[in-house]
Amino acid sequence: MSGHHKLPEGRAFVFTAKAKGFFVALILSGLILAAAGFATDSERAWKAVLIGYMLMTYVGLGAAFIQGIQYVANAAWGVGFRRIPEALVNILPVSIVLYVPLVLVGRGHVWGWIDPELLAPSLRHFLVSKTWYLNVPGFMFRDILFLSFVTGVTQLWRRWSLAQDRTADEKYTLWSTRLGAGFLVVWAIGICMFGFDMLMSLDFKWFSSMFGVYTFVGCFLSALSVTTLLTLWHRRPGGALEGVAGVNNIHDLGKLMFGFTVFWAYIGFGQMLIVWYADLPDETIFFVHRWNDGWAAVSLGLIGFRFVFPFFFLLRRVVKRTPALLAFGAAWVLCAEIYDLYWLAIPTLKLEGGQGPVPALWDIGPALAGLGILLYVTHSVFSRNKTVPSQDPRYDEFLHLHQ
């Protein structure tokens, strides 16, 4: 999957036919499983499609955040592998295209409030005071505007980064830093509203002001885990980033994954504690539906899978500095996000409660297809230009940090 021309700052990357075939096979496998899901239980299959869509979009949005914080913080540690998050964000135009049929075709199969006439009479009154926000035109306008904004800013960053490769002009870094400051403010608001729309409104009876932060953590960890996996893959012997991304760099990625794993637990526990303490029926129903009908084991399993294991695994220094171990940890964190999305989406199949956690192989189909599309698009973009932004003024500092 890599080229043969050794460069001081990395290698040229060639997106080989073998790699393309692998990603296409991943996409087709996911689509076949998804089709089996629709043939078996179309209502559940739509929720699985949402899980796959959110996973793919999370990575793109999180990659944009990674770029933004590095520009604003004037960080050198991630400069050498910045082309990876620059490539990952190119999934967002695909997300925008797929968003339209997801909403207009999935409709009430995904979000019950879109087709209130299909809801039980006991649920409709919850929508009376929320239609000003929960309406299809506003829903689509907000989310498409946010995704388009992130796409536009990240494409501009990439254009400036490539221009700097040609000219070595430091003004492009200054422009990117100034743009990043405003971008992060809008991104923070947008990711919260995106989480409210896409996930929290699945159960429109329920609300939580902390859910936006919960969405942010999942988004960032998804992007961070994929960035770590791709950095580790491309820094292998013969890879595009061989000799560029060093042990200290992957150690930093591991520390970030560890830190935000703890932050996820903090936000998740904080949200549960506030709901438990207030004991309001409109809030507690979220956890009731994820405890009864067999969900208790799944909820406790989420704590172990999402927090306990990765906490103790990533805690050790040797894990964060050993590529094979860190790759396992990053893959685990990514799978934990799929688990988390399943925990959020599947119980909403029955808004009145009573939906048990019956696992099905085809539930992972859309997630596999989404990851295949993500990896295909990312490597296609990654192969078009220099794999390292070596003219960035912080690159020399990065080279001193990377060993």
Side-chain angles (χ1 to χ4, degrees):
M1 293 178 60
S2 61
H4 304 287
H5 302 291
K6 178 73 174 177
L7 298 174
E9 66 281 356
R11 295 175 182 265
F13 174 72
V14 178
F15 192 18
T16 64
K18 182 178 179 181
K20 292 177 182 178
F22 175 77
F23 296 143
V24 169
L26 188 62
I27 296 169
L28 292 176
S29 299
L31 291 178
I32 291 171
L33 286 173
F38 275 101
T40 305
D41 186 345
S42 61
E43 295 293 322
R44 185 188 182 102
W46 275 113
K47 299 293 186 181
V49 168
L50 176 67
I51 292 171
Y53 176 85
M54 289 302 296
L55 181 68
M56 179 180 71
T57 307
Y58 262 7
V59 174
L61 291 172
F65 179 75
I66 290 173
Q67 292 180 70
I69 58 174
Q70 291 202 13
Y71 278 125
V72 172
N74 196 30
W77 65 268
V79 170
F81 55 84
R82 193 177 71 215
R83 288 284 151 80
I84 289 177
E86 281 183 4
L88 285 171
V89 297
N90 285 272
I91 195 61
L92 293 179
V94 179
S95 295
I96 294 172
V97 172
L98 294 179
Y99 177 89
V100 176
L102 178 62
V103 176
L104 296 184
V105 181
R107 294 186 62 83
H109 301 292
V110 184
W111 300 277
W113 58 264
I114 294 183
D115 293 319
E117 65 277 4
L118 301 179
L119 295 173
S122 60
L123 296 175
R124 294 174 190 169
H125 74 279
F126 287 99
L127 291 173
V128 173
S129 62
K130 300 182 180 183
T131 52
W132 68 271
Y133 186 85
L134 291 180
N135 58 83
V136 174
F139 185 81
M140 296 186 70
F141 175 78
R142 288 190 301 271
D143 296 338
I144 292 177
L145 180 64
F146 173 57
L147 293 174
S148 300
F149 167 77
V150 177
T151 299
V153 171
T154 52
Q155 291 302 313
L156 192 56
W157 276 338
R158 180 170 174 81
R159 182 182 302 175
W160 288 343
S161 180
L162 295 176
Q164 190 172 63
D165 280 346
R166 297 189 298 269
T167 66
D169 195 331
E170 295 187 11
K171 70 180 181 183
Y172 295 112
T173 298
L174 179 62
W175 291 356
S176 296
T177 300
R178 289 175 176 174
L179 179 59
F183 168 81
L184 289 179
V185 175
V186 178
W187 189 94
I189 298 171
I191 195 63
C192 291
M193 299 186 72
F194 191 68
F196 295 156
D197 286 347
M198 302 297 287
L199 294 173
M200 194 169 77
S201 75
L202 289 171
D203 188 350
F204 53 83
K205 308 185 304 300
W206 179 74
F207 55 88
S208 169
S209 59
M210 294 184 68
F211 194 81
V213 185
Y214 192 91
T215 303
F216 155 69
V217 178
C219 176
F220 184 59
L221 276 174
S222 299
L224 193 60
S225 61
V226 174
T227 298
T228 301
L229 286 168
L230 293 183
T231 299
L232 290 169
W233 173 254
H234 288 294
R235 72 179 292 275
R236 77 196 191 286
L241 300 181
E242 181 187 9
V244 175
V247 173
N248 283 339
N249 299 125
I250 64 172
H251 190 186
D252 288 338
L253 289 169
K255 287 187 287 187
L256 278 171
M257 281 196 297
F258 172 79
F260 275 85
T261 294
V262 176
F263 188 54
W264 174 87
Y266 168 74
I267 295 300
F269 177 76
Q271 181 171 254
M272 185 277 295
L273 183 65
I274 292 172
V275 169
W276 172 81
Y277 185 78
D279 198 23
L280 299 175
D282 288 349
E283 297 179 358
T284 57
I285 195 66
F286 176 85
F287 291 101
V288 169
H289 286 174
R290 287 161 181 78
W291 191 259
N292 295 336
D293 304 304
W295 281 97
V298 178
S299 297
L300 292 174
L302 178 65
I303 297 172
F305 201 94
R306 191 83 155 100
F307 171 64
V308 176
F309 177 81
F311 175 85
F312 288 104
F313 184 76
L314 293 171
L315 183 64
R316 300 183 62 202
R317 186 173 188 267
V318 66
V319 168
K320 296 188 284 287
R321 299 180 72 85
T322 305
L325 293 176
L326 184 59
F328 176 80
W332 186 283
V333 169
L334 184 62
C335 291
E337 182 56 37
I338 299 175
Y339 190 155
D340 197 359
L341 289 169
Y342 175 92
W343 183 77
L344 291 171
I346 298 300
T348 64
L349 278 167
K350 294 182 180 178
L351 294 174
E352 304 93 334
Q355 172 62 46
V358 182
L361 180 61
W362 47 78
D363 284 344
I364 66 171
L368 290 178
L371 286 174
I373 296 170
L374 171 72
L375 293 172
Y376 191 100
V377 171
T378 297
H379 286 90
S380 178
V381 173
F382 190 59
S383 66
R384 296 174 190 170
N385 303 101
K386 288 179 60 179
T387 55
V388 174
S390 56
Q391 299 303 317
D392 188 294
R394 298 162 297 186
Y395 186 61
D396 286 343
E397 182 181 351
F398 169 85
L399 291 177
H400 286 89
L401 292 172
H402 87 289
Q403 297 297 335

